[in-house]
Amino acid sequence: SDMSLFSQMEQLSGAELSDYLARHRGQLTLDQIQRISGVIDQPGAGAVAAKLSAPAIKAKIHTGSGDVSFAGGSAQFDASTGSGSIRAEGLTGPGTFEAGSGDIEARWAQLGQGASVKAESGSGRIHLGLPANATLSGDLDTGSGYIRSDYPGSSSQKGRHWSFSGGAGASHLSVETGSGDIHVVKGS
């Protein structure tokens, strides 16, 4: 039953949880998991949807192909998919996003000073919603697409490159897509 599944999973460490999910793939939908702190690794095909009832300290989600969807918050976040989109919300710290092809959409509730955010897509749109008071350094690059930033910086290469102005305690962004627009906006 679902209840025994929840109670079993709540007692697993990150590594054990990863192994458990690998063995039970196809039998359970990850959006039913109420609480995780650890790693979800889906080497094969398949979408991953995780919604936490309490924020994780660190969440890592990897899948060979399929969309990744994450809600509920995490102080550190790492997600990758070979083909598919990545959506995450409620983030409160550093994040790494890799999509072979597909959009990346991430929203932060807060972002500490000096936090590092890296987002890369082979082809896809990247949308990052950051706290209004954030100070940003780093660069945005698109092979073909438009860049929009609500934060200070300068544009070059016919609008396909953006460098943030930086400043004391700045969070560092490194964002790149082969083709697609990049939006870095205040709020959502």
Side-chain angles (χ1 to χ4, degrees), residues 151-185:
Y151 298 86
S154 59
S155 174
S156 62
Q157 295 171 21
K158 297 182 179 171
R160 292 194 301 272
H161 178 87
W162 179 272
S163 288
F164 290 105
S165 302
S171 297
H172 185 82
L173 263 63
S174 173
V175 180
E176 199 177 325
T177 179
S179 63
D181 296 345
I182 298 173
H183 293 170
V184 178
V185 302

Side-chain angles (χ1 to χ4, degrees), residues 1 8 22 33 63 78 102 111 136 138 159 172 181:
S1 78
Q8 279 175 285
I33 300 168
T63 182
D78 181 346
L111 187 63
L136 304 179
H172 185 82
D181 296 345

Side-chain angles (χ1 to χ4, degrees), residues 81-154:
T81 175
S83 64
S85 63
I86 299 172
R87 291 188 62 167
E89 53 188 63
L91 305 178
T92 57
T96 305
F97 308 82
E98 280 182 63
S101 63
D103 297 341
I104 296 170
E105 195 175 320
R107 293 182 169 84
W108 277 259
Q110 59 192 67
L111 187 63
Q113 287 198 348
S116 172
V117 174
K118 185 175 184 190
E120 203 174 313
S121 176
S123 62
R125 171 180 164 272
I126 299 177
H127 180 103
L128 306 179
L130 300 169
N133 63 355
T135 303
L136 304 179
S137 66
D139 302 278
L140 312 175
D141 284 284
T142 177
S144 64
Y146 297 97
I147 293 175
R148 172 193 162 190
S149 171
D150 287 351
Y151 298 86
S154 59

